[in-house]
Amino acid sequence: MGNQKRKLHLNLFVASMGHHEAAWRHPSSPVQDILDFSHFQRLAQKAEQAKLDSLFLADRYATSRKAVKYGAISGLEPLTLLSALAVVTSRIGLIGTVSTSFNEPFNVARRFASLDHLSKGRAGWNIITSGTDGEAQNFNYERIPEHRVRYERAEEFLDVTLKLWDSWEADALLQDKASGIYADNSKVHEFNHKGKHFSVRGPLNLPRSPQGRPLLVQAGSSEDGKDFAARYAEAIFTAQQSLEDAQAFYADVKSRAARYGRSPEQVIILPGICPIIGESEAEAKEKEAQLHELTHPAYSLLQLSNRIGYDLSAYPLDGPLPPLPATEAIVGHQSRTQLIRDLAERENLTIRQLLLRLAGGRGHRTIAGTAEQVADELEAWFTQGAADGFNIMPQITNGGLEDFLDQVVPKLQQRGLFRTEYTGNTLRAHYGLDIPVNQFASAPQVH
C-alpha cells in the first residue's frame, strides 16, 4: 500500500475528565458528571461527528483508600458503558478492556459477541493480562502471577475465545418457520477444548457476530507483549516517547507479524498522544503548567509506585530515580517500567520532575502546542514509519477534546491524511481489516 493511499486512524481514549491526573480539579471540568451517562454520550457523539475510527475504554480491577483521596479514579465498567453508547451512536467503533487474568473465556466471548450484535459490528476487545497485586487480591490471589505465566494463560484464553466465536458458521442460522429448523446444527461446533488453564466444550450460545469476531486489540510492549501482539492483535495501542523509539517498535512488531505469516498491513499500530492545544505554543504550555500546578505529589508518587511495582515513598523527591529491578525480573508492567526508567535517565530527571513529566500521559507522548504543531507531529510519525494512526488522549477532556476535533482533525483532512466521511459501517471496515476466516467452516468468509 503506497503512502498516497494510506489514511491514518484515530481512536479516542475516553477519559471522563482527561488524561492528566489533575484534570478533575480544573475549573472547567464537570467532575459532578464523572458517572453521568449523558456526559459520555456527548463525548462519543462528538467523536463520531469528527469521523474517528473508534472509542476506547481502559479498565483496572482495583483501587485503594490512599488513591481515592486525591485521584478521580472511579470508572464505569467498559462493556456496560459501551453497550449503552452503542444505542446512541451508529458508526464509531467501540473498544473495551477485559483482562484474561480474572475472567473466563466463555463469559468474555459472549459479552463481546453481544456487543458486536447490538452495535451491528462495531465491537473490539482490548486484551490485557493485568499487572498489580492489588488487582490480584480482588480475585482470590495474594500476588499477581508472574509475567510469563500471565501471557501463557492469555494465549490459551484467546485460543478458546476464538473457538467460541467461530463455533457458529456464518450461515448456520436459518430461522426457517416453514420447516421448523432454527439452525443448521451441522454448522454449530462443539470443540471440546482441554488445556492447561481451561476446559471448555462449546459452542457459544450466540450466533456468529457481524464482524465474524470483534476486533482484537492489545497494548503490551514487553517482549512477551510484542510477540503476543504480532501473533494475534489487529490493532496495537503503544506508548513511545520519541519518533525513533516509535519507528523501532513499529518495525519490530511488523516484522514479527510477517514471521508469523501475517500481513503487516493487517496489524494497525496506534501510539498514544496526549495533546494540549493553544492559539500559540506559549498558551498551550501555560495550560499544561496550570494542570501541573493542580497535581498532588503524594498521589503522583503512589501512582508511579504502583505503575512500576516499586515503592518510591522512602526516596527524596528531589533526588534521582533509584535503581530498579532488571526488566525481566519485573512481575508487573515491564514495558512501561522500562519506558519510565529510560525517560528518567535520558533527561536526567529527579523523581519530582519525572512525576510532572508523567502527569499528563503516564508514559504516553505529551505535546503542548498549536493545532498546526500537533498535526505536523502526527503527520511526521505517520509518514516516517512510526505509526498507522494514533490513540488520542487529551490531557483535559472538557475543551481539550473539542480543540483536537475542531482544529487538528480538519488540518489532517485538508492534508488528505484522514477521512472526511465514513466509508464502512463496522470497526473492521474503518481499520481496513478483513473478516477473519472461520476455523471450523468449510468455505472462507468474505469481506
Side-chain angles (χ1 to χ4, degrees), residues 41-113:
Q41 178 178 341
R42 287 192 296 272
L43 301 181
Q45 290 176 339
K46 286 177 181 177
E48 187 169 67
Q49 288 165 7
K51 315 305 178 190
L52 267 58
D53 295 70
S54 46
L55 306 172
F56 164 59
L57 293 179
D59 200 24
R60 294 190 70 183
Y61 291 81
T63 187
S64 70
R65 293 174 66 243
K66 289 182 180 179
V68 300
K69 183 174 183 179
Y70 299 115
I73 57 176
S74 57
L76 296 168
E77 192 280 317
L79 293 191
T80 306
L81 178 53
L82 290 173
S83 295
L85 291 175
V87 180
V88 297
T89 57
S90 61
R91 305 292 283 277
I92 197 164
L94 306 167
I95 302 171
T97 298
V98 173
S99 174
T100 58
S101 296
F102 309 125
N103 286 283
E104 289 289 324
F106 191 93
N107 292 337
V108 170
R110 190 183 188 198
R111 290 176 202 147
F112 276 106

Side-chain angles (χ1 to χ4, degrees), residues 70-263:
Y70 299 115
I73 57 176
S74 57
L76 296 168
E77 192 280 317
L79 293 191
T80 306
L81 178 53
L82 290 173
S83 295
L85 291 175
V87 180
V88 297
T89 57
S90 61
R91 305 292 283 277
I92 197 164
L94 306 167
I95 302 171
T97 298
V98 173
S99 174
T100 58
S101 296
F102 309 125
N103 286 283
E104 289 289 324
F106 191 93
N107 292 337
V108 170
R110 190 183 188 198
R111 290 176 202 147
F112 276 106
S114 296
L115 178 60
D116 208 44
H117 279 289
L118 292 172
S119 65
K120 294 181 169 54
R122 295 185 284 137
W125 174 22
N126 180 46
I127 306 163
I128 63 168
T129 63
S130 301
T132 66
D133 291 341
E135 292 171 293
Q137 288 157 12
N138 286 331
F139 293 91
N140 298 313
Y141 297 92
E142 283 301 314
R143 300 289 305 275
I144 194 76
E146 65 178 81
H147 199 269
R148 177 191 58 79
V149 173
R150 297 202 310 276
Y151 273 94
E152 178 189 82
R153 176 187 166 97
E155 188 169 334
E156 186 180 345
F157 191 113
L158 181 56
D159 177 48
V160 176
T161 306
L162 295 176
K163 288 175 179 175
L164 287 164
W165 283 331
D166 284 349
S167 62
W168 287 65
E169 296 185 36
D171 56 351
L173 189 63
L174 300 178
Q175 297 176 323
D176 188 336
K177 291 183 179 181
S179 67
I181 303 297
Y182 183 76
D184 180 350
N185 63 346
S186 70
K187 297 184 177 183
V188 179
H189 302 276
E190 294 180 7
F191 48 82
N192 294 302
H193 174 93
K194 293 191 182 297
K196 181 175 180 179
H197 299 278
F198 304 106
S199 177
V200 179
R201 185 196 68 184
L204 193 64
N205 57 350
L206 196 63
R208 191 162 172 84
S209 70
Q211 296 186 105
R213 67 179 187 223
L215 186 80
L216 301 180
V217 184
Q218 200 266 349
S221 297
S222 65
E223 286 303 306
D224 288 334
K226 287 189 289 188
D227 210 51
F228 185 87
R231 291 183 67 182
Y232 303 111
E234 295 162 306
I236 300 172
F237 296 150
T238 183
Q240 310 296 336
Q241 281 290 315
S242 69
L243 174 64
E244 294 74 23
D245 288 346
Q247 288 170 324
F249 178 88
Y250 187 94
D252 185 5
V253 173
K254 296 275 187 174
S255 64
R256 291 184 194 222
R259 289 198 295 273
Y260 282 115
R262 302 181 63 199
S263 167

Side-chain angles (χ1 to χ4, degrees), residues 326-340:
T327 299
E328 59 273 12
I330 294 168
V331 176
H333 302 283
Q334 289 187 354
S335 59
R336 193 59 56 87
T337 301
Q338 186 63 50
L339 182 151
I340 290 168

Side-chain angles (χ1 to χ4, degrees), residues 15-38:
S16 56
M17 297 295 110
H19 286 274
H20 197 289
E21 64 186 43
W24 72 273
R25 295 189 63 198
H26 193 275
S28 71
S29 290
V31 70
Q32 70 281 358
D33 293 341
I34 201 165
L35 301 176
D36 187 332
F37 174 71
S38 63

Side-chain angles (χ1 to χ4, degrees), residues 394-406:
Q395 293 192 47
I396 183 167
T397 297
N398 194 40
L401 176 59
E402 289 86 349
D403 287 343
F404 184 85
L405 298 180
D406 296 343

